[in-house]
Amino acid sequence: MAAQPKRGGVSLPERRPVSKPESNILARITSSPIVSRGKQAASDAAFVSRKLIRSTGKAAWIAGTTFLILVVPLIIEMDREQQFNELELQQASLLGAPPTAPASK
Amino acid sequence: MAGVVPPGATTVPADDASKTKKADEKVDYMNLPCPIPFEEIHREALMSLKPETFEGLRFDFTKGLNQKFSLSHSVSMGPTEIPSQSAETIKIPTAHYEFGANFIDPNLMLIGRVLTDGRLNARVKWDLTDNLTVKANAQLTNEPHMSHGMFNFDYKGKDFRSQFQMGNGALFGASYFQSVTPHLSLGGEVFWAGQHRKSGIGYAARYETDKMVATGQVASTGMVALSYVQKVSEKVSLASDFMYNYMSRDVTASVGYDYILRQCRLRGKIDSNGCTTAFLEERLNMGLNFILSAEVDHSKKDYKFGFGLTVG
């Protein structure tokens, strides 16, 4: 389906011209303007949503890998630093009060 | 190591903008601090934003034999990029071993490195007096016409630094950097490359306080480089850098962080070319460092990851 150049970039596929009227009632219903308009709208919606999903997917991939490279090591290291600090604090409080410990016993 | 200037890249004449203003602030203009050397003005920004990322395995072992003398062994294996005409990057797996010897004295420093592909690097730094320093740098290769060497003569005055450079291929350069106020230093450089019949002139400025460093550099080769580093706390610093080449209309901006924690050092940066890098040095034990490096280029779809160990 070729896209007619409207404003540059992506545009919807061009619409098929309306075909000749039929004698059958079912054929008349399916070739009526409402039904054909509805079918056109549905295919346009499918086209647009496919493009949207693809570009969202690409953006999500780029954002995800960049987050993984830049932010995840930082979170891990800051967490380790915090644990190390807590351990030091604990050890300092343990070793920092030896004279009072036997007195309290 | 700071202080090594690639040949043909910079230096040229000393056109400086030193003015002594008699201001009404209580600043002693006769006692300004000595500025840092001209080639190091972007040092803080480069340290944060351009870590030495690598691809593959890297193992460095440094053994000190003496207080002054040490040997180093280094193994690196991994894909190396070779320059190609097409847009595709071609990588070929290579491996090499590098042997090095260092002699470090307060006045004299000698460093030599030999690689298995026949390249030899040598660096000499000799402090003749308190103020005069001679530096020499040589790179020899097997391929003809690819070897180069350079001599630098540095003179450090009370509040200025000047340097004269001579390299092979008739490369001459000079630079001058002067402290104008306790925070601001200005300077310039001139270079002349005889082989390519090119000459150029450049100016640079550096404003430094306790919390931040801002530098700017303009050169007649078309390069404009600005950088800003903010020290947010004693563990964290953020840096950003802007480079513009007005001849080739090339623009690059990058932002990065540098976290210096007790057990590790983590540097990350993101670029306007769609390239993000991260470099982690983790201290496993005394003298044992584990390094991880990652470089992801979304626009060229080039992914490089490396790991290594540094001992000593």
Side-chain angles (χ1 to χ4, degrees), chain B residues 35-247:
Chain B
I36 62 174
F38 188 80
E39 56 257 11
E40 284 181 40
I41 50 175
H42 295 288
R43 172 183 63 187
E44 276 87 1
L46 285 181
M47 272 199 321
S48 299
L49 293 175
K50 295 195 174 32
E52 292 171 349
T53 57
F54 56 96
E55 186 170 16
L57 166 76
R58 191 177 107 176
F59 179 74
D60 284 333
F61 176 60
T62 307
K63 173 138 182 91
L65 300 178
N66 208 347
Q67 212 177 21
K68 303 186 178 183
F69 192 67
S70 61
L71 295 176
S72 83
H73 307 266
S74 166
V75 175
S76 70
M77 302 192 234
T80 323
E81 269 182 39
I82 57 169
S84 74
Q85 314 304 104
S86 64
E88 292 280 310
T89 47
I90 302 183
K91 295 192 189 180
I92 298 189
T94 55
H96 52 76
Y97 164 74
E98 182 190 59
F99 174 72
N102 313 330
F103 175 80
I104 299 183
D105 199 44
N107 286 346
L108 178 63
M109 189 177 80
L110 303 168
I111 293 185
R113 298 262 182 280
V114 176
L115 276 98
T116 46
D117 50 5
R119 278 184 289 170
L120 173 76
N121 267 359
R123 276 214 288 255
V124 175
K125 180 171 170 254
W126 186 20
D127 293 336
L128 285 173
T129 71
D130 254 349
N131 292 341
L132 186 62
T133 304
V134 178
K135 289 197 273 208
N137 180 13
Q139 272 164 334
L140 308 174
T141 57
N142 268 341
E143 301 153 40
H145 303 297
M146 292 287 278
S147 316
H148 38 247
M150 177 158 332
F151 279 95
N152 293 353
F153 299 95
D154 292 352
Y155 183 76
K156 181 172 89 159
K158 192 151 157 293
D159 56 1
F160 68 91
R161 279 197 201 249
S162 62
Q163 184 187 73
F164 179 67
Q165 258 188 1
M166 281 192 313
N168 77 331
L171 176 71
F172 295 99
S175 74
Y176 182 83
F177 206 57
Q178 162 92 43
S179 267
V180 171
T181 75
H183 297 297
L184 178 66
S185 2
L186 304 170
E189 60 171 6
V190 184
F191 74 88
W192 187 69
Q195 225 169 36
H196 307 278
R197 292 277 188 271
K198 269 203 257 210
S199 69
I201 185 172
Y203 302 99
R206 180 179 156 107
Y207 185 80
E208 177 173 1
T209 65
D210 275 342
K211 295 257 168 183
M212 58 86 128
V213 174
T215 70
Q217 188 171 10
V218 186
S220 72
T221 50
M223 176 195 74
V224 174
L226 309 167
S227 79
Y228 179 77
V229 178
Q230 171 91 21
K231 199 162 133 174
V232 173
S233 78
E234 54 182 43
K235 294 190 178 177
V236 183
S237 64
L238 301 172
S240 72
D241 174 276
F242 177 79
M243 202 163 74
Y244 174 54
N245 193 330
Y246 55 78
M247 303 285 185

Side-chain angles (χ1 to χ4, degrees), chain A residues 65-66 70 77 80-81 85, chain B residues 235 257 262 264 282 298:
Chain A
T65 52
T66 305
L70 284 183
E77 288 302 330
R80 283 189 60 171
E81 175 85 3
N85 279 346
Chain B
K235 294 190 178 177
Y257 64 83
R262 257 180 303 189
C264 74
E282 170 108 25
H298 291 289

Side-chain angles (χ1 to χ4, degrees), chain A residues 58 61-63 65-66 69-75 77-78 80-81 84-85 88, chain B residues 235 257 259 261-264 266 268-270 276-278 280 282 294 296 298 305:
Chain A
K58 265 206 263 190
W61 169 257
I62 290 180
T65 52
T66 305
I69 302 270
L70 284 183
V71 181
V72 170
L74 191 62
I75 292 177
E77 288 302 330
M78 293 215 290
R80 283 189 60 171
E81 175 85 3
F84 188 68
N85 279 346
E88 255 195 9
Chain B
K235 294 190 178 177
Y257 64 83
Y259 266 73
L261 304 172
R262 257 180 303 189
Q263 304 273 59
C264 74
L266 178 59
K269 116 172 163 192
I270 181 160
T276 79
T277 70
L280 169 68
E282 170 108 25
V296 168
H298 291 289
F305 297 95

